[in-house]
Structure formats: structure tokens, C-alpha cells
Amino acid sequence: MSAISLVGAAKDFGLRSLFADLDLHVGERDRLGLIGPNGAGKSTLLRVLAGLEPLDRGERRCHARTRVVLLDQEPRLDPSLTVLEQVFAGDGEAMALLREYAGVSHQLASGAEDGPLLARLSALQHRMDGCQAWDLERRCREVLERLGIDAAHQERTIGELSGGNRRRVALAAALVAEPEVLLLDEPTNHLDAEGVEWLQSYLDRFAGALVLVTHDRYLLDRVTRRIVAVERGEARPYEGNYGTYLGLKAAEEEAEASTAAKLKGTLRRELAWLRQGPKARSTKQKARLQRIDALLEAPARQGRTSLAMAATARRIGKRAITAEGLAVAVGDRTLLRDFSYDFSPEDRVGIIGPNGVGKSSLLEVIAGRRPPSEGLLELGGTVKLAYFDQHSDVLLAKDGKRKVIEVVQEAASRVQVDGVELTASQLLERFLFPPAQQHQPVAKLSGGERRRLHLCRLLIEAPNVLLLDEPTNDLDVHTLSVLEEFLDDFRGCVVVVSHDRWFLDRTVDRLFHFEDGRLERFEGNYSSWLERRAGSPATAPGPAAAAPETAKRSTPSAKVPADGPRRRSFKETRELERLETELPRLEQQRRELEQHLASPSGPDYARLEELTHELADLVVRIQAAEERWLVLSELAA
């Protein structure tokens, strides 16, 4: 039985169709993930399901008694309420009593007349005993704490909180409401890694229906059982979780490419046949030729657009960033002390830790936006640094009224990408901004589209050091995949602050973890670090790694030894892939040399000696490559 149904649903955004003729049914215990590019209509579809956005055509069906709760990306909260009062704003007698109890307690704490208020508080306590509201209050406080809102912040008003804390309060309110249908739009934004892991386990146990929009692919893979891809005015369902969807999507695109290739082959053959005969000059045949020409072009025009992310190469020297005895402080609070490390030109470093420990502040120091409180920070002489911070809204403040293309043209009107000179307009098309959208004001872009524009603006400046602060926030999963592939090929240093487990696993091979004001170093990706923290035997640290030291100056190639097997880093994975391609080629070269040497009409004596030495060198290279392949293939993937 469906909790919510959309039948023949259609929604337009100006001249663009977000979705049309959509039939979507959300079952009572469904686990549905919505994916698609930024601006495709995922958030709008959630609001339609919640009954907050009208359809242009079609019908939404939902029983009047079905409770539906939506966590919006920009939740509307009452700034005058305390955190607890906001969380208690749900339906039901227990929630109403808790809301009233929190209000009276807040008045008493503010020094109001306590005689009548104390009597009222006593009466409320008696009623709360009868409906077990105390258990609900305990659970509300526990959810808030798990999401990073401590007891001190729970007594504050919403107006006193930061934007991130407001989002966490809105998420807590949605979770404790326990509706029949829970709609979550990017619930992991502003959560640290522990908060995301807790949310994942909570959603695993949630009894109602769930519809989820998120860039966290581990969360999407873990909790969903059906995927709906929203793109180009269509919403296509796929049975299974995110991993299953990827497999189905790859097979679907291969089939589409094969069908398109066969169609083109057939059309070309018919076109060649038609042009051979004298009748090709007749009016009827000319019309047929024109139709075939149009069909030959049609698949390319109708093909799915894809993001092409590339940057021009800029040489980087042997030194990228040097930190010596670095300390970072904000006000009277020291966030980091005594950090020393040499970042190499090829480093892939992740910085992790709970919210508020100083990760973003450290990146701001490296980027030169704030001075260190102690120590030395030096950039290499050839370093061109780009800082992708969390605040793409700076584009609104500075360029909100400007056109999209003007923001890019300010950085470069033309740019060389992969040896091809592109105009600003052509570059924007590679970043999925069609010509019509390029002349819109920046203020009309969605949050994810502004982030993508911000990234485009940075990359065309050809940096060789990238600082990425929560780069996955507001970006769709497809853009994240392309960004990960871009970083694989990026020739420069990358420093990432992120809570996105999938992104960290894909992009870094060394971590620094904030621990009591110091950065502890770990060799490996985020999953390896989690396993070691949990004491997994598969990643039990060896003698040198058993007690991680505070990060000291070291060469980037230095690795912390471990007795047990470890995971391959992304660099080692790429090396393994290269070896698997290179070994067959080397073997072929060896066979050709051996055949040449054994040929009856072989080389003369001088050439024979030269080829013999060449074969000996080749055999040594093959043996070394095979030994390295064996080492890498035995590491955990």
C-alpha cells in the first residue's frame, strides 16, 4: 500500500520541465533515494511529495491522517523558540506537554515570577508522568547530542545558533517526530563523520517510509532499496540500492551506445547506397537523404550531457607547503599547536575531526586568509593555490546580480584545456551550464549550481595546490564522481577537509586527525583509519604505528610500517592498473625481440650484441614489474 502517490505529475520551472508524466509511489516502508544533477528538481520533488509545492499537472494522493515531515535544505525555524521547544514542535500530546514544559522552564530560568509558574510546572510534571513524556524528552536530548548539539546549546534560542546548528536542530526535530513518511534533503550537511554514522544506524531502524536526497554515497548505498534518477525532465526508477543502480546504469548506457552505433552503421550504409544511383538527384530521394542525415546527427544531439572537468597544467617545484611549529588560535582558544610537516607536490592529504576543532581554520591559515598564532608557514616559489571553501554564497554577496558568464570571464576570457583553447562560454558548457543559463544572474542558481560555478572559476586559474573545505556539500553525486576523477589526474598537491567517507576513500592516501589540539598522522584512507580505530585485526597497527605520534616533519614518501595487511592507497591502485596494462606490452616486446634474434636472417654481429643487451634489460624490467604487481595485488582493495 502506498503512503504517497504521484500520478501523471508534472512540474515546470520557467521554460524548463523538471519532470513530466511522473508516476511515483512511496510504500509504507519504502527506502527511496533521489539522485540527479543540481537543478534537476530533486528538492522540488520532495516538496511536492510533502504537499508544500503544487503540481502544474497530475495528482498527488495521500491520506489525510498520514504524517509527512520534510527536512528542507533551508528549514524555517522560529528564532524566538529554544532548541528544545523547536524539537518539541511536533504533533501529539506528549510533544505538546514537552513544548509547554520547556517554555515554562525557560521563563523560570529567565527570572520570571516563580509562584504561578512553579504551580503550572508541577501540574505539567504530573500530566507528563501519565503519558511517558519523560522518555520522549530523554530521547530528544539524546538525538540532539548525537547530532552535535550539546546540553548548553539546547537551552539557547534558535536565533542565537549558527546556520549549521540550525540545520542539526531541524534534523533532530524531523527524526524525533517519527512520521509515517520522512523526507530528508541533504541531511548530512554540517554533520561530522560520527554524526553521519549515527544517522545511518538511526535510519536503518526507522519504521516508516524514507525518501532521501544526499551526496553521501555510503549513506545512499546503505539505507536505500530503490533509486529514482531525476534528469532532463524525467524521473526513472531503479530497483536496488546505489551500488545496484551504478551497475544497472552502466549496462543501460552500454546498451544505448551499442544501439546508437548500430543505427548509425545502418544509416550510413543506406546513405552510401542511395548516393550511388542517378535517382539520388530526384526531389523525393533528396528529401530521404536529408532525413537520414538528420537521423545520423540525432543520437549525438539527444545524448546525455556530461560534466567535463579539466584544468590547465601549471608546473610545480619540489616544494609545495612547509609548516614548522605551526599553531592556530581563534580568540583565546588554541585549536592547533606544534604542527610540522612538508606537503609534497603530489600529496593527497585528508584532515578529519569533529566539528569545531579547527579544520577550516587550519585551511584558512594555509590559504593566507589568517595568520598563524605561532610558527612558520611557507609556500613554494611556483605554488599557485586555489581555496574551495564552504562559502560559495560569496558569489551571491559579490556577484549575485552579475551574469554567470561574467563571473568566469573575470578570471579568464579564454583558457587552454587539454591543449584546446576554450572561450569562457565553452568552458561553462563543460561544467553543465548551457548557453541560456550562462546569461542568468548568479542569484538564480541553486546552491549546488553556485558551488559548481565556484569550482569552475577556481580551476580555470590553473592552480597546482588545491585546498578543499567540505567540497561535497551541495554537489550532486555525478559531479562528485567527476571531481574525484579530476583529482586522480591532477598534477599538484591536494589537501581535503571532509566528512564524506566515500570522497575521502577515493581521494586521499594520508590522514591527519585532530586529537587534543594536535594532528595525529595516519597512512591510509578513511576506511582504513576507521578500522584501526575500531581495533580491527585486519588493520592492527605494527610497532611503529601502534601509538600514532604527533605529525612531525617528514618526507611525503615516508610510510608508517604495519605488520598486518593494509588497504591500497589510490596512488597504489593507479600504479596497479598501470602495471596490468604495461606488463602485457613488455611481454609482447620480449617475444618480438626473441623472434628477431632467432630468425635465420637475423641481425649482424654488432646489432645482435645490442639486441641481446636490450633483451636482458627488458627481462629485468619485467621481473621488477611482476614483483611490484604481486606486492600491490596482495593489498586489500
Side-chain angles (χ1 to χ4, degrees):
M1 181 178 178
S2 296
I4 304 177
S5 291
L6 300 181
V7 181
K11 184 70 180 176
D12 300 328
F13 185 75
L15 299 176
R16 181 162 59 100
S17 174
L18 295 180
F19 49 86
D21 297 323
L22 172 64
D23 291 336
L24 180 63
H25 304 280
V26 180
E28 292 180 346
R29 288 187 55 82
D30 220 341
R31 292 289 188 275
L32 181 62
L34 298 181
I35 65 171
N38 293 125
K42 302 185 297 295
S43 296
T44 301
L45 183 53
L46 281 185
R47 291 182 60 80
V48 167
L49 288 170
L52 302 177
E53 187 85 27
L55 287 167
D56 294 326
R57 296 176 297 282
E59 183 182 1
R60 172 185 180 269
R61 298 171 184 170
C62 180
H63 195 281
R65 294 183 182 178
T66 300
R67 289 187 307 133
V68 181
V69 171
L70 167 67
L71 172 70
D72 218 333
Q73 286 199 45
E74 296 179 3
R76 296 180 181 179
L77 307 178
D78 188 337
S80 65
L81 295 180
T82 67
V83 168
L84 284 173
E85 287 173 338
Q86 183 68 61
V87 175
F88 298 153
D91 298 328
E93 181 186 3
M95 278 292 191
L97 291 172
L98 283 171
R99 190 160 56 246
E100 188 177 357
Y101 180 82
V104 172
S105 299
H106 185 61
Q107 291 179 56
L108 287 170
S110 302
E113 289 289 334
D114 59 357
L117 286 175
L118 283 172
R120 185 176 164 198
L121 194 69
S122 177
L124 283 172
Q125 289 172 339
H126 180 71
R127 291 174 61 193
M128 289 168 69
D129 288 336
C131 66
Q132 298 181 331
W134 299 113
D135 290 339
L136 181 57
E137 182 191 19
R138 176 187 54 76
R139 188 159 56 81
C140 290
R141 289 184 181 275
E142 180 185 354
V143 169
L144 283 166
E145 288 177 5
R146 291 285 196 166
L147 296 177
I149 307 293
D150 58 26
H153 282 81
Q154 291 174 19
E155 305 302 328
R156 294 185 180 180
T157 62
I158 297 296
E160 298 176 77
L161 301 182
S162 66
N165 278 339
R166 291 186 188 192
R167 280 275 301 176
R168 295 186 195 104
V169 171
L171 175 57
L175 295 179
V176 300
E178 293 192 339
E180 281 80 19
V181 181
L182 181 59
L183 310 174
L184 299 180
D185 195 354
E186 295 292 358
T188 63
N189 280 1
H190 305 290
L191 292 185
D192 60 24
E194 291 184 0
V196 174
E197 290 169 21
W198 176 85
L199 176 63
Q200 180 175 289
S201 64
Y202 186 97
L203 294 178
D204 277 341
R205 302 189 305 270
F206 178 64
L210 172 68
V211 183
L212 176 68
V213 172
T214 181
H215 62 262
D216 190 307
R217 286 155 289 177
Y218 277 136
L219 180 67
L220 196 62
D221 193 56
R222 173 71 180 268
V223 304
T224 61
R225 294 196 288 268
R226 189 155 57 102
I227 297 291
V228 172
V230 182
E231 187 175 5
R232 297 186 304 156
E234 297 179 349
R236 303 185 65 179
Y238 297 84
E239 291 299 324
N241 62 5
Y242 181 64
T244 305
Y245 158 78
L246 289 178
L248 293 172
K249 190 65 175 171
E252 184 180 281
E253 290 183 352
E254 286 178 9
E256 287 177 358
S258 175
T259 301
K262 288 178 182 176
L263 174 62
K264 281 193 173 184
T266 301
L267 291 173
R268 284 195 181 98
R269 286 191 296 273
E270 184 175 359
L271 189 60
W273 180 82
L274 281 170
R275 283 174 172 162
Q276 286 175 357
K279 292 183 179 180
R281 295 185 182 88
S282 71
T283 303
K284 189 177 293 186
Q285 291 293 76
K286 282 181 181 178
R288 190 175 179 188
L289 286 169
Q290 289 169 356
R291 285 198 300 273
I292 292 175
D293 282 334
L295 285 170
L296 278 168
E297 294 176 5
R301 288 201 306 265
Q302 295 168 0
R304 190 177 305 277
T305 54
S306 60
L307 177 63
M309 194 176 293
T312 58
R314 186 187 294 264
R315 189 184 69 83
I316 186 170
K318 295 181 179 179
R319 189 167 62 91
I321 307 167
T322 298
E324 180 70 57
L326 201 68
V328 178
V330 175
D332 297 331
R333 184 182 170 208
T334 299
L335 301 173
L336 175 65
R337 56 187 179 275
D338 194 26
F339 173 58
S340 297
Y341 181 71
D342 281 338
F343 292 87
S344 85
E346 296 183 354
D347 247 338
R348 296 293 192 272
V349 175
I351 300 174
I352 61 174
N355 287 322
V357 295
K359 303 184 298 297
S360 296
S361 298
L362 174 58
L363 283 195
E364 288 179 350
V365 169
I366 296 174
R369 294 190 179 182
R370 69 164 71 208
S373 55
E374 292 179 17
L376 174 72
L377 182 80
E378 289 184 348
L379 301 184
T382 59
V383 164
K384 170 66 176 177
L385 187 145
Y387 181 26
F388 187 53
D389 61 19
Q390 295 188 47
H391 309 294
S392 56
D393 283 346
V394 69
L395 291 175
L396 282 179
K398 182 181 176 183
D399 301 305
K401 294 182 180 179
R402 300 179 69 191
K403 295 176 181 177
V404 169
I405 194 167
E406 292 173 346
V407 173
V408 175
Q409 284 175 332
E410 185 180 64
S413 59
R414 291 180 176 271
V415 64
Q416 287 281 338
V417 177
D418 296 335
V420 179
E421 185 176 72
L422 300 177
T423 64
S425 177
Q426 289 170 328
L427 186 70
L428 280 168
E429 285 193 63
R430 285 195 172 202
F431 276 76
L432 300 188
F433 290 103
Q437 196 176 23
Q438 293 174 17
H439 294 276
Q440 289 183 353
V442 172
K444 288 200 171 182
L445 299 180
S446 69
E449 288 169 328
R450 287 198 297 271
R451 292 282 281 173
R452 190 168 1 110
L453 177 62
H454 190 191
L455 191 59
C456 175
R457 166 76 178 263
L458 288 177
L459 294 184
I460 65 172
E461 295 175 354
N464 49 29
V465 172
L466 279 176
L467 307 181
L468 306 176
D469 192 1
E470 296 294 353
T472 64
N473 282 358
D474 297 319
L475 291 180
D476 59 76
V477 293
H478 176 60
T479 301
L480 290 177
S481 297
V482 176
L483 176 58
E484 288 160 358
E485 291 174 6
F486 167 82
L487 294 177
D488 281 346
D489 298 324
F490 178 71
R491 286 175 286 179
C493 176
V494 179
V495 184
V496 180
V497 168
S498 181
H499 296 126
D500 190 308
R501 301 160 293 174
W502 188 302
F503 188 80
L504 286 172
D505 280 349
R506 280 281 282 110
T507 58
V508 308
D509 54 10
R510 176 175 296 121
L511 292 173
F512 286 112
H513 176 247
F514 269 86
E515 194 72 43
D516 297 325
R518 294 183 181 274
L519 281 175
E520 308 290 349
R521 178 173 167 179
F522 175 78
E523 297 295 327
N525 61 17
Y526 185 73
S527 291
S528 301
W529 180 80
L530 279 179
E531 288 175 1
R532 196 184 77 171
R533 188 182 65 166
S536 169
T539 54
E549 300 176 355
T550 300
K552 298 178 180 178
R553 177 188 299 276
S554 63
T555 59
S557 60
K559 300 291 182 182
V560 179
D563 292 337
R566 62 174 177 83
R567 290 180 179 270
R568 279 195 302 272
S569 69
F570 91 97
K571 285 184 180 178
E572 289 168 332
T573 300
R574 290 176 63 194
E575 182 183 1
L576 181 62
E577 292 169 354
R578 180 180 58 78
L579 286 172
E580 287 173 344
T581 303
E582 185 178 13
L583 274 169
R585 182 175 58 80
L586 294 176
E587 289 286 358
Q588 179 63 27
Q589 288 180 12
R590 184 176 71 172
R591 284 192 296 272
E592 290 173 356
L593 275 174
E594 289 172 343
Q595 289 171 3
H596 193 41
L597 287 168
S599 172
S601 58
D604 58 28
Y605 178 78
R607 181 60 177 154
L608 179 66
E609 186 177 11
E610 183 182 335
L611 290 178
T612 302
H613 286 301
E614 188 177 334
L615 178 60
D617 291 340
L618 188 59
V619 169
V620 171
R621 286 179 61 193
I622 290 172
Q623 288 175 344
E626 287 175 342
E627 289 173 4
R628 182 60 177 160
W629 181 87
L630 285 170
V631 170
L632 295 176
S633 63
E634 288 175 356
L635 297 177

